Structures are given as structure tokens and as C-alpha cells.
Amino acid sequence: MAPEEPRSGARAVDRAIQVLSCFEGDPELSVSELAHLVDLPVSTVHRLAQALVRGRLLEQDTTTDRYRIGHGLASLARPALDRLGLDSAAPHLYALAAGIRITVSVSVAQGRDAVTVFQARPPVYFCSHQVPRARRPLRASAAGHALLAFSPFTTIAEEHASRQDARPVRTEGLRSELERVRRTGFATELVATDDPIRALAIPIVGADKRVRGALAVQARSARLDADLVRNVLPAMRITAGRIAPLFQSTGGATDSTAELESR
């Protein structure tokens, strides 16, 4: 582990952010696990975690001493959720999650990535396979493809579909995949792990025909098979239609073609 460094206000804030970032996906972590993830001494991480507990950004289980996200973060996030319209959309998203028994997530485009900004978990049948990563490349994820296929920045992505460092897709490259998404109205992705995961995403389109975000679900591919995909798609489309007037995305693909080519 890295040695202890002199304390400073800026360094403490940076380290606190590192600690909080370990909780993407809402796990419960011990202080030693946190120290390993952020590569800092246990004493340093314990001091930071306790400060975050006092600020209600983390909670500590009194039985196991493990840490988890605190309610204070929800309070801080509420204004941002309200600006996005997700505060009003949340009841619809939770109803969808309960109805299909799979976690529902909403993503927006930020630069070259699809960023998860909201999750609604079902009261039953929840498992960790249903939790998406907080940030995924637009051209390498189901949510990203749903955002790209119906967005004005699709051309930028298609121009770079043949780049050597671009991740391959199941068909004939990103251009073919986006054409399929436009034709069918949904994007799918098979995440290769020891227990493969399938993701499914559709666009959230406003009255002005602009894409506001992507509505997505994911689960073990053994569960989210072709039959279940067909069954959950109608409910997802109904919900996307209901929340579209409430949803105000502030994201977008901000990279110009020149910027993309230089990377």
C-alpha cells in the first residue's frame, strides 16, 4: 500500500471521493476492503469513512462494521434528480421494476459514455447481476447504442465504427448494430462473464423527437432470454413514454469528430 502522506484539505477531499466511488453498485464493504480498493492505509481509510458516516454520506452496520451508502447522499442528489425529472419519474420506474421483477436503470450520454443516473430495484428477485456499471462507452453498451441510434450524434459514432480500437459487436460492426436498433427500437448486449449477463435498452424520446436518455434492464442471460425480452419490452416502452415528458436530460455527446479522431 502507498505510505501515509501529509494531510491537506484537497488531498482529504480527493481521498473521500475515492472512498465513495467504491460504492458504485451499492455494495457493503469492510474498512480493509476499502483500503485495498483505494490503495491507502487502513488507518487513513477508517478516518475518512468515519468522517463520511458523521456526514451521513456513508452508514456503518453496527453488527458487521461494514459500510454502505448513507441517506445523506440521497438528500444531496435530490436537486439533481429533480432537474433531470427523475424525481417525478421515479414512481413509474419503481412500478416497472416491480412488474417485471428486474432492476430498471436510466442512463444519459456524457461525452463518449453512457452514464447511469438512476436505478429502481424490484422488491423481489433482485441480484447483483442486475446492477449496471456506472459508466460505459456509448459504442460498447446497450444503453449507449439506444442513445446513439436515435440521436443526432449517431453520425460521429458511425464514422468511427471501423476504428481498430473499437470494440466489435455481434453483427457487422457498430454501424450495422445501430441500424438494427433503429429498425427494432431496442438494443441488446451480452456481457461475457463467468455467468453471462444480457442487457436490454430502449430510448426515452421526448415530444420534440429528441432522445432524453435510455431505459435499460439487465440480468443473467439464462433468465433474460429471448422470451423474457419479448415480454418485458412492451412494459418498458409504455414506461419510457410515460416518463419522457418528465425527463430533462442535460447530457449529450460533446466530442467533435476531430476530437474523436485524435483519440
Side-chain angles (χ1 to χ4, degrees):
M1 289 187 179
E4 283 268 15
E5 298 178 13
R7 298 181 190 177
S8 73
R11 184 177 296 115
V13 172
D14 287 341
R15 287 175 167 180
I17 292 171
Q18 281 183 276
V19 170
L20 287 174
S21 296
C22 294
F23 291 89
E24 290 180 359
D26 196 23
E28 292 194 358
L29 300 169
S30 68
V31 67
S32 59
E33 289 169 336
L34 282 169
H36 174 73
L37 289 171
V38 299
D39 193 25
L40 290 172
V42 170
S43 59
T44 300
V45 173
H46 180 265
R47 186 172 64 249
L48 290 168
Q50 288 300 306
L52 292 168
V53 168
R54 291 193 295 272
R56 300 191 307 119
L57 302 183
L58 290 181
E59 295 175 349
Q60 188 174 24
D61 190 304
T62 56
T63 303
T64 66
D65 286 335
R66 298 173 75 84
Y67 295 93
R68 57 179 176 252
I69 288 295
H71 293 294
L73 271 180
S75 298
L76 290 175
R78 183 166 297 279
L81 294 177
D82 191 49
R83 284 196 300 273
L84 285 170
L86 288 171
D87 196 41
S88 300
H92 300 286
L93 297 169
Y94 278 106
L96 174 62
I100 65 176
R101 298 181 175 185
I102 303 176
T103 297
V104 176
S105 64
V106 174
S107 297
V108 297
Q110 288 186 1
R112 296 160 60 90
D113 295 331
V115 178
T116 302
V117 294
F118 190 86
Q119 292 177 29
R121 297 184 179 183
V124 294
Y125 287 96
F126 169 76
C127 71
S128 59
H129 295 91
Q130 299 173 17
V131 179
R133 286 168 52 188
R135 182 180 291 268
R136 295 285 312 281
L138 283 169
R139 63 180 175 212
S141 61
H145 290 170
L147 290 163
L148 285 172
F150 300 95
S151 298
F153 44 84
T154 299
T155 302
I156 295 175
E158 291 179 340
E159 287 175 358
H160 299 273
S162 60
R163 279 181 44 169
Q164 291 183 353
D165 63 342
R167 177 178 173 177
V169 293
R170 292 193 305 270
T171 55
E172 300 175 358
L174 180 59
R175 185 179 296 105
S176 298
E177 178 65 8
L178 296 182
E179 289 174 355
R180 188 199 66 77
V181 174
R182 283 191 288 270
R183 185 174 65 254
T184 62
F186 67 91
T188 60
E189 174 194 7
L190 188 63
V191 182
T193 64
D194 292 338
D195 193 358
I197 297 170
R198 177 170 286 109
L200 170 68
I202 63 172
I204 301 169
V205 183
D208 58 0
K209 306 302 182 184
R210 293 183 59 189
V211 174
R212 303 295 189 187
L215 184 65
V217 299
Q218 69 176 49
R220 296 173 55 247
S221 62
R223 179 187 176 195
L224 191 55
D225 56 14
D227 288 337
L228 187 55
V229 168
R230 283 193 293 269
N231 287 335
V232 303
L233 267 173
M236 289 179 67
R237 286 170 171 151
I238 290 171
T239 299
R242 287 173 175 168
I243 69 173
L246 309 172
F247 191 68
Q248 299 295 325
S249 172
T250 58
T254 58
D255 288 342
S256 67
T257 302
E259 288 170 330
L260 286 168
E261 287 175 341
S262 66
R263 299 184 182 184

